[in-house]
Amino acid sequence: MCNIAGYVGTRRAAPILIEMLRVQEGLNAGFYTGITTIHEGKIYYRKLVGNLDDLLARTDAADLPGNIGVIHSRTPGANAVEGKEYAHPFITEKDGEVFSTMVLNGTSGFFKPLREARVETTLRLLEKSVKFRSHCKGEGTLNLPDGTCVHSSDVFCQIVEEHRKAGLPLHAAAANAFADMPTEAVVLMLSLAKQDAITYARFNFPMHVAHCDHGTYLATTPQAMPEDAGDYHLLPVRSSGYIYQDHFECYPFPAKIATIAPLTPARRAKIYEIICRKLEEGEQTVSTLAAAIRPAFEGYDCGQVGASIYQVLDELSREGKLKCKRRYMPGQLEGLFAPEDYMWL
């Protein structure tokens, strides 16, 4: 999993996004980090192998202009030596300029058996001379027959652009990409085709939204929401749409790809109990909590594991029960370190 934050409003986005990511970086991220903003008809982005502090020390990420932006940090991956192109955001270009950027939090999960279809899609795009900046030698998230690989999120990004070029509005293009390349995920996009909003598409991975008097926040975990944020809500599963300064629009996916377990009151209560018992045993990470609650989603193709964990952790934090210690582990390259939060009651 990864962690994402977004902002659209009247204030400069970069400082807000940086502080939002700092809160949630230790939950499941810190190995690759990137930020993207849009301002006066131009898209900016910075990314690298490393954590948030590395991004701030080695780039001008904090100075990017614009009141709309997205930030992302992810877990370990292959081909770290190949550098920043395995970090998010992924980009599309038009006439030599960045046309869109996309970040994704997810995994093939239930759709892992469709790997060959993903490879076929990638090869089809390569035959059409689509450029994948993550294309390199060796093994990665999507391995090709010639011994090279690409990042599957890079492929997803290019599929969205292919649908947009075919005439679909961005939200529909993103929804159709989920049909072409089924993934347990959520994506956020900036595009010159839609400069006043963040485009989103959510299958089942978490993305919370909250409004304040100067704009709208997005975050993987509600713990990252600033103090002035109003009540947060999960964006609907199997939906896509647009996040504006003072509202959001959502549209259901055109096709049902798989069943997703709903977060009913009974299921939420059960998950709360499981997580509390686990935290009472001693220090836990998001990964150990995820393993503990997966049985609560039996009977469905896909669950809402991340959303459930983050909402329970937020509730326990508000109640003053949650204790947390951040440690640092070796990162993707020598000399780099990634934060990891250990939690208990």
Side-chain angles (χ1 to χ4, degrees), residues 90-339:
F90 294 98
I91 75 168
T92 67
E93 295 179 291
K94 182 178 180 181
D95 300 326
E97 298 291 333
V98 179
F99 186 79
S100 68
T101 51
M102 187 203 80
V103 302
L104 182 149
N105 174 19
T107 175
S108 56
F110 173 75
F111 304 106
K112 190 174 183 178
L114 301 180
R115 190 189 70 84
E116 291 303 320
R118 291 186 180 85
V119 170
E120 290 177 7
T121 297
T122 305
L123 295 176
R124 175 179 63 81
L125 291 173
L126 284 170
E127 289 175 359
K128 295 175 66 174
S129 299
V130 171
K131 181 180 180 180
F132 298 106
R133 288 179 172 242
S134 64
H135 195 187
C136 59
K137 295 180 180 179
E139 295 187 352
T141 63
L142 192 59
N143 300 320
L144 303 180
D146 64 354
T148 64
C149 66
V150 297
H151 196 299
S152 56
S153 297
D154 196 356
V155 179
F156 197 101
C157 178
Q158 307 306 323
I159 293 173
V160 175
E161 180 61 9
E162 183 180 48
H163 284 303
R164 189 202 65 80
K165 288 180 177 178
L168 290 179
L170 269 175
H171 79 274
N176 278 27
F178 272 95
D180 290 341
M181 198 172 181
T183 307
E184 292 194 45
V186 61
V187 303
L188 297 183
M189 297 179 60
L190 301 183
S191 174
L192 296 184
K194 186 71 176 176
Q195 299 185 31
D196 61 341
I198 297 172
T199 302
Y200 87 90
R202 180 185 182 227
F203 181 70
N204 68 325
F205 267 51
M207 185 53 61
H208 299 85
V209 59
H211 300 292
C212 64
D213 60 359
H214 55 81
T216 301
Y217 300 115
L218 291 161
T220 301
T221 166
Q223 289 172 291
M225 294 294 180
E227 291 185 0
D228 62 355
D231 293 338
Y232 63 79
H233 307 276
L234 268 175
L235 291 171
V237 296
R238 282 195 301 264
S239 75
S240 62
Y242 308 107
I243 311 299
Y244 296 95
Q245 175 182 328
D246 56 359
H247 70 287
F248 64 89
E249 299 174 1
C250 59
Y251 307 86
F253 281 8
K256 184 176 181 180
I257 306 173
T259 60
I260 302 173
L263 294 182
T264 62
R267 181 168 285 110
R268 288 176 186 272
K270 180 179 180 180
I271 290 170
Y272 181 92
E273 292 176 2
I274 294 171
I275 289 177
C276 286
R277 286 200 301 269
K278 195 70 177 173
L279 291 171
E280 287 170 351
E281 294 175 3
E283 294 182 352
Q284 306 293 330
T285 65
V286 167
S287 296
T288 60
L289 295 178
I293 71 168
R294 282 200 177 94
F297 299 100
E298 288 181 357
Y300 291 86
D301 297 330
C302 307
Q304 296 191 62
V305 176
S308 301
I309 292 172
Y310 292 139
Q311 290 190 0
V312 170
L313 293 179
D314 183 57
E315 185 174 349
L316 292 171
S317 180
R318 290 173 183 271
E319 293 171 351
K321 298 178 180 178
L322 187 67
K323 298 179 177 62
C324 181
K325 178 184 293 183
R326 180 165 292 186
R327 301 191 178 108
Y328 285 82
M329 66 185 76
Q332 282 293 95
L333 298 176
E334 185 177 354
L336 297 180
F337 298 90

Side-chain angles (χ1 to χ4, degrees), residues 77-88:
N79 272 305
V81 176
E82 297 294 338
K84 66 181 181 182
E85 297 306 337
Y86 255 60
H88 299 227

